[in-house]
């Protein structure tokens, strides 16, 4: 973990790009068709497994997940905020389930 001097908070260590990139790609599939969540679930399962392996706390994993989500131009371009929140909440729930299943 690193200290964020500006915010005075602790930020989680980043996961490997080989783990984060598939989550980013799966989010794009999930955004285009929320019913196709199996691709996202698979990517979150791998990310959760790595997070547990390196001793990352679940709340830090959620921060990473939200950072990935908020970094997507497709998310920032969404006009329907309710839909954006609904999709993110679904992804967070899925991630938590995968973390504890891993």
């Amino acid at each position: 973990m690193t200290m964020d001097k500006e915010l005075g908070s602790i930020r989680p260590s980043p996961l490997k790009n080989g783990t984060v990139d598939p989550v980013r790609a799966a989010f794009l599939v999930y955004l285009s068709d929320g019913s196709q969540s199996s691709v996202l679930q698979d990517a979150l399962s791998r990310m959760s497994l790595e997070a547990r392996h390196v001793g990352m706390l679940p709340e830090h994993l959620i921060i990473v997940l939200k950072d990935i989500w908020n970094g997507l131009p497709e998310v920032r371009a969404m006009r329907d905020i309710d839909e954006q929140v609904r999709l993110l909440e679904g992804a967070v729930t899925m991630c938590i389930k995968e973390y504890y299943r891993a």
Side-chain angles (χ1 to χ4, degrees):
M1 283 186 245
T2 59
M3 182 64 119
D4 186 334
K5 293 176 185 173
E6 204 171 289
L7 298 176
S9 63
I10 297 176
R11 298 288 294 191
S13 299
L15 298 169
K16 296 175 190 170
N17 284 338
T19 303
V20 172
D21 290 343
V23 173
R24 190 174 288 114
F27 267 143
L28 296 178
V29 172
Y30 181 66
L31 283 168
S32 68
D33 185 0
S35 67
Q36 296 295 321
S37 60
S38 62
V39 173
L40 181 59
Q41 184 174 0
D42 290 343
L44 293 177
S45 178
R46 288 189 299 276
M47 186 168 78
S48 296
L49 187 62
E50 182 183 334
R52 287 186 57 143
H53 179 73
V54 300
M56 183 180 281
L57 296 172
E59 56 268 26
H60 292 166
L61 180 59
I62 298 305
I63 291 169
V64 171
L65 179 77
K66 288 182 175 183
D67 284 347
I68 296 167
W69 176 265
N70 291 323
L72 295 172
E74 293 82 356
V75 169
R76 291 191 306 269
M78 289 179 77
R79 298 284 183 229
D80 187 345
I81 300 302
D82 291 336
E83 178 71 0
Q84 181 183 1
V85 169
R86 185 188 68 76
L87 289 170
L88 177 58
E89 286 175 349
V92 167
T93 299
M94 197 181 308
C95 187
I96 291 168
K97 287 180 180 177
E98 290 303 318
Y99 181 88
Y100 286 106
R101 191 170 71 122

